[in-house]
Amino acid sequence: MHEASMRHPCYNEDAHHYFARMHLAVAPKCNIRCNYCNRKYDCVSESRPGVSSVVLKPDEAVRKVLRVAEKIPQLSVVGIAGPGDPLANPEETFATFRGIMEVLPDVKLCLSTNGLLLPEHAETIRELGVNHVTVTINTIDPRIGSLIYGWVNDRGEILKGLDAAERLLERQLLGVKMMGEMGILCKVNSVLIPGVNDNGHLAEVTKKVKSLGAFVHNIMPLIISPGSEYERTGMQGPTPEELIKAQEESSGEMPLMRHCRQCRADAVGMLGDDQSTEWSEESETTENSRLYSPEERTAIQNKLEEEMLAKRQKLNGESACSSQSACLSAKPGNGGTQTADSKLRVAVATRGNGRINRHFGHAKEFLVYEVNGQTARLLGVRKVQAYCNGTASCDGEEGKQGILHESLELLKDCRILLCSGIGDAPSRILQQAGIMPLVRTGPIEETIIECAKYYQYFSTQSDQPCLT
Ligand code: CLF
Ligand code: SF4
């Protein structure tokens, strides 16, 4: 892991359990048209559709960073990722970065762009000390690009079809190369679009960007914005299995990011615990304008990094726990297709700190891990609707059954679900669907390995008792 990325929650998978990022929505304009985007205040390449309620001016954005740093000391990265393209709004983007460096020099700066104007602004990016740049590159074939991009506006020159895709690609690849030469860590994001850039094409993208100096590749599922061209033409996003297949095709070439949340342009907090809504409602007052404490931030972040590194060292060096008692609370379900010999998939509800600490009913996403012997590796993130909204009990309500069945469909390849609490009704339905819900609060990977081991053991026993 590169030293500069140690605390970056996107570039370092471990760091996303410990460190937070925030996005500043200072860049409303865009200079290309992606057919999956609706051009409203969010960038689908880096955020979820339909949401970035407010566009900030640079000075407002800088003050917001200070308030967030005070409340969330584990904030390690500040990024600009929209709602349009940051480099189509260079004055706002660079004024914001400059302002942040004056008041909070210990954060890492991050930028996410479609790449059209990356070569033009590369030198300024370097001068400002932006350490991490993401370029969204969905294809390296202009013919495929012509199916993804409606038009490109290159400083007033409007291009369409093949010409648009060729111009964009040329700038993206040059931009990635320049970032590598300047020592700026470059991540490439690609949106997996079934029927357009699947069937091995993204593996070609991985090879190409690696050869140009990119550091990590993030293959994300297509999210179609309401009102976008793709919505009109009935395009569909990939299934979890299609996404995993595309990621596997690319694996081995360079590090792959599998924990992306496709954040909003105004995201705040841990990747798995977005607080953008609370922060969009927060307003500036004298009371909340107290400056952060640099010493406190440094001490907290140093401690978090120590904890993160120690845990990784322990996981790399030690075999799975051999205690049986912790996991005996449910019998393996009967609906699964995985056998005792196969790799086992486990869904985890967490809101950070590397622990299982989210109630099933409050989970808006599950991390899905694959366990193979003594190792658990993250396969991806599955977003769901929360089963409970905090106003009622988890049990009973019929209206919630639809939500539960949607979650079950998304998690049907998992055999175990780990959460910090679950109601009787969802627990029963999960078991009927062949998913064993287990209530745990321990560290994620250790608990997964331990529970998977005993799931495998009991799967081979024909007449063992139900342990729920
Ligand atoms: Fe933001 Fe992007 Fe920087 Fe991360 S997000 S600008 S690199 S700080 Fe991260 Fe969010 Fe995925 Fe982006 S989880 S959408 S990859
Ligand atoms: Fe939308 Fe982002 Fe594409 Fe621009 S680059 S069209 S904001 S998805």
Side-chain angles (χ1 to χ4, degrees), residues 18-53:
Y18 297 91
F19 292 96
R21 57 78 183 95
M22 71 179 290
H23 286 169
L24 294 167
V26 295
K29 290 178 280 184
C30 193
N31 45 15
I32 69 172
R33 179 179 181 182
C34 302
N35 286 335
Y36 44 75
C37 181
N38 70 359
R39 324 279 305 156
K40 293 212 170 156
Y41 285 140
D42 69 303
C43 169
V44 179
S45 300
E46 280 282 346
S47 64
R48 281 185 292 173
V51 273
S52 170
S53 34

Coordinates of all heavy atoms in Angstrom, one line a residue, residues 18-53:
Y18 N -12.2 2.5 9.0 CA -11.6 3.3 10.1 C -11.7 4.8 9.7 O -11.7 5.7 10.6 CB -10.2 3.0 10.4 CG -10.0 1.6 10.9 CD1 -9.8 0.5 10.0 CD2 -10.1 1.3 12.3 CE1 -9.7 -0.8 10.5 CE2 -10.0 0.0 12.7 CZ -9.8 -1.0 11.9 OH -9.7 -2.3 12.3
F19 N -11.5 5.2 8.4 CA -11.4 6.6 8.1 C -12.6 7.0 7.2 O -13.2 6.3 6.5 CB -10.1 6.8 7.3 CG -8.9 6.6 8.2 CD1 -8.2 5.3 8.2 CD2 -8.4 7.6 9.0 CE1 -7.1 5.1 9.1 CE2 -7.3 7.4 9.9 CZ -6.7 6.2 9.9
A20 N -12.8 8.3 7.3 CA -14.0 8.9 6.6 C -13.5 9.9 5.5 O -12.4 10.4 5.5 CB -14.8 9.7 7.6
R21 N -14.4 10.1 4.6 CA -14.2 11.1 3.5 C -15.4 12.0 3.4 O -16.5 11.7 3.9 CB -13.9 10.4 2.2 CG -15.1 9.5 1.7 CD -16.3 10.2 1.1 NE -17.3 9.2 0.7 CZ -18.3 8.9 1.5 NH1 -18.4 9.4 2.7 NH2 -19.3 8.1 1.1
M22 N -15.2 13.1 2.8 CA -16.3 13.9 2.5 C -16.2 14.5 1.1 O -15.1 14.7 0.6 CB -16.5 15.1 3.5 CG -15.5 16.2 3.4 SD -15.9 17.5 4.7 CE -17.4 18.2 4.0
H23 N -17.3 14.7 0.4 CA -17.3 15.3 -0.9 C -17.9 16.7 -0.8 O -18.8 17.0 0.0 CB -18.2 14.5 -1.8 CG -17.6 13.3 -2.3 ND1 -18.4 12.3 -3.0 CD2 -16.4 12.8 -2.2 CE1 -17.6 11.3 -3.3 NE2 -16.4 11.5 -2.8
L24 N -17.3 17.6 -1.6 CA -17.8 19.0 -1.6 C -18.5 19.2 -2.9 O -17.8 19.1 -4.0 CB -16.7 20.0 -1.4 CG -16.1 19.9 0.0 CD1 -14.8 20.6 0.1 CD2 -17.0 20.3 1.1
A25 N -19.8 19.5 -2.9 CA -20.5 19.6 -4.2 C -20.4 21.1 -4.7 O -21.3 21.9 -4.5 CB -22.0 19.3 -3.9
V26 N -19.3 21.4 -5.3 CA -19.0 22.7 -5.7 C -19.0 22.8 -7.3 O -18.8 23.9 -7.8 CB -17.7 23.3 -5.2 CG1 -17.7 23.4 -3.7 CG2 -16.5 22.4 -5.7
A27 N -19.2 21.7 -8.0 CA -19.0 21.7 -9.4 C -20.3 21.2 -10.2 O -20.4 20.1 -10.5 CB -17.9 20.7 -9.7
P28 N -21.2 22.1 -10.4 CA -22.5 21.7 -11.0 C -22.5 21.4 -12.5 O -23.3 20.6 -13.0 CB -23.4 22.9 -10.8 CG -22.5 24.1 -10.6 CD -21.2 23.6 -10.0
K29 N -21.5 22.0 -13.3 CA -21.6 21.9 -14.7 C -20.9 20.6 -15.2 O -19.9 20.2 -14.6 CB -20.9 23.1 -15.4 CG -21.7 24.4 -15.3 CD -21.0 25.5 -16.0 CE -19.9 26.0 -15.1 NZ -19.1 27.2 -15.5
C30 N -21.3 20.1 -16.3 CA -20.6 18.9 -16.9 C -20.3 19.2 -18.4 O -21.0 20.0 -19.0 CB -21.3 17.6 -16.7 SG -20.2 16.2 -17.1
N31 N -19.3 18.6 -19.0 CA -18.9 18.8 -20.3 C -19.1 17.6 -21.2 O -18.6 17.6 -22.4 CB -17.5 19.3 -20.4 CG -16.5 18.5 -19.5 OD1 -16.9 17.4 -19.1 ND2 -15.3 19.0 -19.2
I32 N -19.7 16.5 -20.7 CA -20.0 15.4 -21.6 C -21.4 14.9 -21.2 O -22.0 15.3 -20.1 CB -19.0 14.2 -21.4 CG1 -19.1 13.6 -20.0 CG2 -17.6 14.7 -21.7 CD1 -18.3 12.3 -19.9
R33 N -22.0 14.1 -22.0 CA -23.2 13.5 -21.6 C -23.1 12.0 -21.6 O -23.0 11.3 -22.6 CB -24.3 13.9 -22.6 CG -25.6 13.2 -22.2 CD -26.8 13.5 -23.1 NE -28.0 12.9 -22.6 CZ -29.1 13.0 -23.2 NH1 -29.2 13.7 -24.3 NH2 -30.1 12.3 -22.7
C34 N -23.2 11.4 -20.4 CA -23.2 10.0 -20.3 C -24.7 9.5 -20.4 O -25.5 10.2 -19.8 CB -22.7 9.5 -18.9 SG -21.0 10.1 -18.6
N35 N -24.9 8.5 -21.1 CA -26.3 8.1 -21.4 C -27.0 7.5 -20.1 O -28.2 7.3 -20.2 CB -26.4 7.1 -22.5 CG -26.1 7.7 -23.8 OD1 -26.3 8.9 -24.0 ND2 -25.6 6.9 -24.8
Y36 N -26.3 7.3 -19.0 CA -26.9 6.8 -17.8 C -27.2 8.0 -16.9 O -27.7 7.8 -15.8 CB -26.1 5.8 -17.1 CG -24.6 6.0 -17.0 CD1 -24.1 7.0 -16.1 CD2 -23.7 5.4 -17.9 CE1 -22.7 7.2 -16.0 CE2 -22.3 5.6 -17.8 CZ -21.9 6.5 -16.9 OH -20.5 6.8 -16.8
C37 N -26.8 9.2 -17.2 CA -26.9 10.3 -16.3 C -28.1 11.2 -16.7 O -28.4 11.3 -17.9 CB -25.6 11.1 -16.3 SG -25.6 12.5 -15.2
N38 N -28.7 11.8 -15.7 CA -29.8 12.7 -16.0 C -29.4 14.2 -15.9 O -30.3 15.1 -15.9 CB -31.0 12.4 -15.2 CG -30.8 12.8 -13.8 OD1 -29.8 13.3 -13.4 ND2 -31.9 12.6 -12.9
R39 N -28.1 14.5 -15.7 CA -27.6 15.8 -15.7 C -28.1 16.6 -14.5 O -27.9 17.9 -14.5 CB -27.9 16.6 -17.0 CG -27.8 15.7 -18.2 CD -26.5 15.5 -18.7 NE -25.8 16.8 -18.9 CZ -24.5 16.9 -18.9 NH1 -23.8 15.9 -18.6 NH2 -24.0 18.0 -19.1
K40 N -28.7 16.0 -13.5 CA -29.1 16.8 -12.4 C -28.0 16.9 -11.4 O -26.8 16.5 -11.8 CB -30.3 16.2 -11.7 CG -31.5 16.3 -12.7 CD -32.8 16.4 -11.9 CE -33.9 16.7 -12.9 NZ -35.2 16.3 -12.4
Y41 N -28.2 17.3 -10.2 CA -27.1 17.6 -9.3 C -26.5 16.3 -8.7 O -26.4 16.1 -7.5 CB -27.6 18.5 -8.2 CG -27.8 19.9 -8.6 CD1 -28.8 20.7 -8.2 CD2 -26.8 20.4 -9.5 CE1 -29.0 22.0 -8.6 CE2 -27.0 21.7 -9.9 CZ -28.0 22.5 -9.5 OH -28.2 23.8 -9.9
D42 N -26.1 15.4 -9.6 CA -25.3 14.3 -9.1 C -24.6 13.7 -10.2 O -25.1 13.7 -11.4 CB -26.2 13.3 -8.3 CG -27.1 12.5 -9.2 OD1 -27.9 13.2 -9.9 OD2 -27.0 11.3 -9.3
C43 N -23.5 13.1 -9.9 CA -22.7 12.4 -11.0 C -22.8 10.9 -10.7 O -22.4 10.4 -9.7 CB -21.2 12.8 -10.9 SG -20.2 11.8 -11.9
V44 N -23.4 10.3 -11.7 CA -23.7 8.8 -11.5 C -22.4 8.1 -11.5 O -22.3 7.0 -10.8 CB -24.6 8.3 -12.6 CG1 -24.8 6.8 -12.4 CG2 -25.9 9.0 -12.6
S45 N -21.3 8.6 -12.1 CA -20.1 7.9 -12.1 C -19.5 7.8 -10.6 O -18.8 6.9 -10.3 CB -19.0 8.6 -12.9 OG -19.4 8.7 -14.2
E46 N -19.9 8.8 -9.8 CA -19.3 8.9 -8.5 C -20.4 9.1 -7.4 O -20.0 9.4 -6.3 CB -18.3 10.0 -8.4 CG -16.9 9.6 -9.0 CD -16.1 8.8 -8.0 OE1 -16.4 8.7 -6.9 OE2 -15.1 8.2 -8.5
S47 N -21.6 9.0 -7.8 CA -22.6 9.2 -6.8 C -23.9 8.6 -7.1 O -24.1 8.2 -8.3 CB -22.9 10.7 -6.6 OG -23.4 11.3 -7.8
R48 N -24.8 8.5 -6.2 CA -26.1 7.9 -6.5 C -27.0 8.9 -7.1 O -26.9 10.1 -6.8 CB -26.7 7.3 -5.2 CG -26.1 6.0 -4.9 CD -26.8 5.3 -3.8 NE -26.5 6.1 -2.5 CZ -27.0 5.9 -1.4 NH1 -27.9 4.9 -1.3 NH2 -26.7 6.6 -0.3
P49 N -27.9 8.5 -7.9 CA -28.8 9.4 -8.7 C -29.7 10.3 -7.8 O -30.1 9.9 -6.8 CB -29.6 8.5 -9.5 CG -29.0 7.2 -9.5 CD -28.2 7.1 -8.3
G50 N -29.9 11.5 -8.3 CA -31.0 12.3 -7.8 C -30.7 13.1 -6.6 O -31.6 13.8 -6.0
V51 N -29.5 13.0 -6.1 CA -29.3 13.7 -4.8 C -27.9 14.4 -4.7 O -26.9 13.8 -4.8 CB -29.3 12.7 -3.6 CG1 -30.8 12.5 -3.1 CG2 -28.7 11.4 -4.0
S52 N -27.9 15.7 -4.5 CA -26.9 16.5 -4.0 C -27.7 17.8 -3.8 O -27.7 18.6 -4.7 CB -25.7 16.7 -4.9 OG -24.9 17.7 -4.4
S53 N -28.3 17.9 -2.7 CA -29.3 18.9 -2.5 C -28.8 20.3 -2.8 O -29.5 21.2 -3.3 CB -30.0 18.8 -1.2 OG -29.1 18.4 -0.2

